[in-house]
Short mmCIF file of all heavy atoms in Angstrom, two decimals:
data_model
loop_
_atom_site.label_atom_id
_atom_site.label_comp_id
_atom_site.label_asym_id
_atom_site.label_seq_id
_atom_site.Cartn_x
_atom_site.Cartn_y
_atom_site.Cartn_z
N THR X 79 13.47 -25.18 -14.31
CA THR X 79 13.33 -24.07 -15.01
C THR X 79 12.40 -24.28 -16.24
O THR X 79 12.31 -25.18 -16.74
CB THR X 79 14.82 -23.57 -15.60
OG1 THR X 79 15.20 -24.66 -16.42
CG2 THR X 79 15.70 -23.41 -14.39
N PRO X 80 11.79 -22.98 -16.77
CA PRO X 80 10.97 -23.20 -17.87
C PRO X 80 11.84 -23.56 -19.18
O PRO X 80 12.77 -22.87 -19.42
CB PRO X 80 10.36 -21.88 -17.96
CG PRO X 80 11.11 -20.97 -17.21
CD PRO X 80 11.84 -21.71 -16.27
N VAL X 87 8.48 -26.94 -16.88
CA VAL X 87 8.21 -25.49 -16.54
C VAL X 87 8.43 -25.43 -14.94
O VAL X 87 8.04 -26.34 -14.18
CB VAL X 87 6.91 -24.84 -16.75
CG1 VAL X 87 5.72 -25.61 -16.13
CG2 VAL X 87 6.82 -23.47 -16.55
N GLY X 88 9.09 -24.41 -14.47
CA GLY X 88 9.44 -24.31 -12.99
C GLY X 88 9.63 -22.91 -12.60
O GLY X 88 9.95 -21.99 -13.48
N ILE X 89 9.53 -22.74 -11.25
CA ILE X 89 9.60 -21.29 -10.82
C ILE X 89 10.87 -21.15 -9.98
O ILE X 89 11.06 -20.12 -9.41
CB ILE X 89 8.40 -20.93 -10.01
CG1 ILE X 89 8.17 -21.84 -8.90
CG2 ILE X 89 7.16 -20.86 -10.91
CD1 ILE X 89 7.16 -21.34 -7.82
N ASN X 92 12.79 -17.92 -10.54
CA ASN X 92 12.10 -16.70 -10.17
C ASN X 92 12.21 -16.66 -8.62
O ASN X 92 12.36 -15.45 -8.04
CB ASN X 92 10.62 -16.81 -10.52
CG ASN X 92 10.41 -17.00 -12.04
OD1 ASN X 92 9.95 -18.11 -12.45
ND2 ASN X 92 11.03 -16.14 -12.74
N HIS X 246 15.14 -15.74 -17.32
CA HIS X 246 14.64 -16.91 -16.38
C HIS X 246 15.70 -18.04 -16.44
O HIS X 246 15.32 -19.13 -16.24
CB HIS X 246 13.24 -17.42 -16.79
CG HIS X 246 13.08 -17.68 -18.20
ND1 HIS X 246 13.69 -18.87 -18.80
CD2 HIS X 246 12.41 -17.03 -19.15
CE1 HIS X 246 13.30 -18.69 -20.08
NE2 HIS X 246 12.54 -17.62 -20.40
N ARG X 261 13.25 -12.24 -13.74
CA ARG X 261 11.89 -11.90 -13.30
C ARG X 261 11.77 -12.48 -11.90
O ARG X 261 11.74 -13.70 -11.70
CB ARG X 261 10.86 -12.37 -14.23
CG ARG X 261 10.71 -11.65 -15.47
CD ARG X 261 9.66 -12.27 -16.45
NE ARG X 261 9.66 -11.46 -17.57
CZ ARG X 261 9.20 -11.87 -18.83
NH1 ARG X 261 8.73 -13.26 -18.82
NH2 ARG X 261 9.29 -11.26 -19.92
N LEU X 263 9.21 -13.53 -8.69
CA LEU X 263 7.96 -14.27 -8.65
C LEU X 263 6.91 -13.41 -9.06
O LEU X 263 6.06 -13.86 -9.98
CB LEU X 263 7.68 -14.72 -7.21
CG LEU X 263 8.41 -15.98 -6.74
CD1 LEU X 263 8.12 -16.33 -5.36
CD2 LEU X 263 8.10 -17.27 -7.60
N THR X 264 6.63 -12.17 -8.60
CA THR X 264 5.46 -11.32 -8.91
C THR X 264 5.29 -11.07 -10.49
O THR X 264 4.25 -11.15 -11.10
CB THR X 264 5.40 -10.11 -8.10
OG1 THR X 264 6.67 -9.57 -8.08
CG2 THR X 264 4.88 -10.28 -6.74
N VAL X 265 6.59 -10.66 -10.88
CA VAL X 265 6.52 -10.26 -12.32
C VAL X 265 6.30 -11.47 -13.18
O VAL X 265 5.63 -11.42 -14.20
CB VAL X 265 7.93 -9.57 -12.66
CG1 VAL X 265 8.02 -9.11 -14.06
CG2 VAL X 265 8.13 -8.23 -11.75
N ALA X 266 7.06 -12.51 -12.87
CA ALA X 266 6.76 -13.81 -13.62
C ALA X 266 5.26 -14.16 -13.46
O ALA X 266 4.71 -14.53 -14.57
CB ALA X 266 7.70 -14.86 -12.92
N LEU X 267 4.61 -14.01 -12.43
CA LEU X 267 3.26 -14.28 -12.28
C LEU X 267 2.43 -13.43 -13.25
O LEU X 267 1.54 -13.96 -14.00
CB LEU X 267 2.71 -13.98 -10.85
CG LEU X 267 1.15 -13.87 -10.72
CD1 LEU X 267 0.44 -15.22 -11.26
CD2 LEU X 267 0.86 -13.59 -9.18
N TYR X 268 2.76 -12.16 -13.44
CA TYR X 268 2.11 -11.37 -14.33
C TYR X 268 2.28 -11.80 -15.88
O TYR X 268 1.30 -11.79 -16.53
CB TYR X 268 2.66 -9.85 -14.35
CG TYR X 268 2.17 -8.96 -15.33
CD1 TYR X 268 0.86 -8.50 -15.35
CD2 TYR X 268 2.98 -8.57 -16.45
CE1 TYR X 268 0.36 -7.76 -16.32
CE2 TYR X 268 2.43 -7.85 -17.48
CZ TYR X 268 1.16 -7.34 -17.39
OH TYR X 268 0.71 -6.61 -18.40
N PHE X 269 3.56 -12.19 -16.22
CA PHE X 269 3.69 -12.63 -17.62
C PHE X 269 2.95 -14.02 -17.79
O PHE X 269 2.44 -14.26 -18.92
CB PHE X 269 5.17 -12.67 -17.98
CG PHE X 269 5.68 -11.23 -18.17
CD1 PHE X 269 6.42 -10.55 -17.28
CD2 PHE X 269 5.42 -10.72 -19.36
CE1 PHE X 269 6.70 -9.28 -17.48
CE2 PHE X 269 5.82 -9.30 -19.59
CZ PHE X 269 6.52 -8.67 -18.61
N TYR X 270 3.16 -14.97 -16.84
CA TYR X 270 2.48 -16.23 -16.91
C TYR X 270 0.92 -15.99 -17.02
O TYR X 270 0.18 -16.69 -17.88
CB TYR X 270 2.69 -17.14 -15.89
CG TYR X 270 4.12 -17.75 -16.02
CD1 TYR X 270 5.03 -17.70 -15.00
CD2 TYR X 270 4.37 -18.65 -16.99
CE1 TYR X 270 6.21 -18.25 -15.07
CE2 TYR X 270 5.58 -19.26 -17.19
CZ TYR X 270 6.49 -19.14 -16.21
OH TYR X 270 7.67 -19.69 -16.37
N ALA X 271 0.40 -15.04 -16.33
CA ALA X 271 -1.03 -14.80 -16.39
C ALA X 271 -1.53 -14.20 -17.76
O ALA X 271 -2.64 -14.42 -18.20
CB ALA X 271 -1.50 -13.98 -15.27
N THR X 272 -0.70 -13.31 -18.35
CA THR X 272 -1.09 -12.74 -19.53
C THR X 272 -0.64 -13.19 -20.89
O THR X 272 -1.15 -12.90 -21.89
CB THR X 272 -0.74 -11.18 -19.40
OG1 THR X 272 0.70 -11.07 -19.03
CG2 THR X 272 -1.46 -10.45 -18.44
N GLU X 273 0.33 -14.02 -20.79
CA GLU X 273 0.93 -14.64 -22.12
C GLU X 273 0.76 -16.19 -21.99
O GLU X 273 1.38 -16.85 -21.25
CB GLU X 273 2.42 -14.32 -22.18
CG GLU X 273 2.65 -12.91 -22.47
CD GLU X 273 4.21 -12.50 -22.35
OE1 GLU X 273 5.03 -13.42 -22.12
OE2 GLU X 273 4.49 -11.36 -22.47
N PRO X 274 -0.14 -16.49 -23.02
CA PRO X 274 -0.46 -18.04 -22.96
C PRO X 274 0.79 -18.88 -23.37
O PRO X 274 1.62 -18.44 -24.19
CB PRO X 274 -1.55 -18.13 -24.00
CG PRO X 274 -1.46 -16.94 -24.87
CD PRO X 274 -0.86 -15.88 -24.03
N GLY X 275 0.79 -19.96 -22.84
CA GLY X 275 1.88 -20.96 -23.06
C GLY X 275 1.51 -22.40 -22.47
O GLY X 275 0.57 -22.48 -21.81
N TRP X 277 3.41 -26.12 -21.31
CA TRP X 277 4.58 -26.96 -21.23
C TRP X 277 4.16 -28.32 -20.78
O TRP X 277 3.69 -28.54 -19.66
CB TRP X 277 5.56 -26.45 -20.05
CG TRP X 277 6.22 -25.18 -20.37
CD1 TRP X 277 7.36 -24.79 -20.86
CD2 TRP X 277 5.57 -23.75 -20.10
NE1 TRP X 277 7.59 -23.45 -21.00
CE2 TRP X 277 6.48 -22.85 -20.58
CE3 TRP X 277 4.32 -23.46 -19.65
CZ2 TRP X 277 6.16 -21.44 -20.53
CZ3 TRP X 277 3.98 -22.07 -19.58
CH2 TRP X 277 4.90 -21.14 -19.99
N SER X 281 -0.28 -25.62 -18.20
CA SER X 281 -0.50 -24.40 -18.92
C SER X 281 0.12 -23.25 -18.16
O SER X 281 0.40 -23.36 -16.92
CB SER X 281 -1.92 -24.14 -19.22
OG SER X 281 -2.60 -23.81 -18.06
N SER X 282 0.22 -22.10 -18.85
CA SER X 282 0.82 -20.90 -18.01
C SER X 282 -0.09 -20.42 -16.97
O SER X 282 0.35 -19.91 -15.98
CB SER X 282 1.06 -19.80 -19.20
OG SER X 282 -0.23 -19.39 -19.78
N THR X 283 -1.44 -20.69 -17.09
CA THR X 283 -2.47 -20.32 -16.07
C THR X 283 -2.12 -21.13 -14.84
O THR X 283 -2.04 -20.64 -13.75
CB THR X 283 -3.75 -20.55 -16.55
OG1 THR X 283 -3.98 -19.84 -17.78
CG2 THR X 283 -4.81 -19.78 -15.56
N ASP X 284 -1.78 -22.40 -15.05
CA ASP X 284 -1.47 -23.23 -13.95
C ASP X 284 -0.29 -22.83 -13.19
O ASP X 284 -0.23 -22.77 -11.95
CB ASP X 284 -1.23 -24.74 -14.42
CG ASP X 284 -2.40 -25.26 -14.97
OD1 ASP X 284 -3.51 -24.90 -14.68
OD2 ASP X 284 -2.21 -26.20 -15.84
N VAL X 285 0.83 -22.37 -13.97
CA VAL X 285 2.00 -21.80 -13.29
C VAL X 285 1.65 -20.53 -12.62
O VAL X 285 2.20 -20.42 -11.40
CB VAL X 285 3.03 -21.58 -14.43
CG1 VAL X 285 4.39 -21.14 -13.79
CG2 VAL X 285 3.25 -22.73 -15.36
N ALA X 286 0.85 -19.72 -13.19
CA ALA X 286 0.40 -18.42 -12.38
C ALA X 286 -0.27 -18.73 -11.15
O ALA X 286 0.13 -18.21 -10.10
CB ALA X 286 -0.55 -17.62 -13.38
N PHE X 287 -1.11 -19.79 -11.12
CA PHE X 287 -1.74 -20.14 -9.81
C PHE X 287 -0.83 -20.71 -8.88
O PHE X 287 -0.88 -20.48 -7.68
CB PHE X 287 -3.00 -21.13 -10.12
CG PHE X 287 -4.16 -20.47 -10.46
CD1 PHE X 287 -4.75 -20.44 -11.74
CD2 PHE X 287 -4.87 -19.77 -9.45
CE1 PHE X 287 -5.94 -19.93 -11.83
CE2 PHE X 287 -6.03 -19.07 -9.59
CZ PHE X 287 -6.70 -19.06 -10.74
N ILE X 289 2.42 -19.98 -8.64
CA ILE X 289 3.16 -18.85 -8.13
C ILE X 289 2.31 -18.08 -7.10
O ILE X 289 2.81 -17.73 -5.99
CB ILE X 289 3.59 -17.76 -9.25
CG1 ILE X 289 4.58 -18.54 -10.26
CG2 ILE X 289 4.25 -16.63 -8.52
CD1 ILE X 289 5.06 -17.70 -11.21
N PHE Z 125 -4.50 -10.97 -10.91
CA PHE Z 125 -4.61 -12.26 -11.46
C PHE Z 125 -5.97 -12.96 -11.15
O PHE Z 125 -6.67 -13.61 -11.97
CB PHE Z 125 -3.56 -13.23 -10.99
CG PHE Z 125 -3.62 -14.54 -11.61
CD1 PHE Z 125 -3.74 -14.88 -12.91
CD2 PHE Z 125 -3.46 -15.62 -10.66
CE1 PHE Z 125 -3.76 -16.10 -13.38
CE2 PHE Z 125 -3.51 -16.95 -11.17
CZ PHE Z 125 -3.75 -17.20 -12.47
N MET Z 224 -4.33 -5.65 -15.37
CA MET Z 224 -4.86 -7.07 -15.84
C MET Z 224 -6.39 -7.16 -15.96
O MET Z 224 -6.92 -7.99 -16.63
CB MET Z 224 -4.37 -7.99 -14.71
CG MET Z 224 -2.85 -8.21 -14.82
SD MET Z 224 -2.22 -8.96 -13.27
CE MET Z 224 -2.19 -10.73 -13.81
#
Side-chain angles (χ1 to χ4, degrees):
Chain X
T79 61
V87 63
I89 58 169
N92 311 113
H246 48 70
R261 284 176 185 160
L263 284 174
T264 44
V265 179
L267 167 52
Y268 172 72
F269 283 103
Y270 279 120
T272 50
E273 290 171 0
W277 295 264
S281 75
S282 57
T283 313
D284 297 335
V285 186
F287 269 112
I289 297 178
Chain Z
F125 178 50
M224 293 162 92

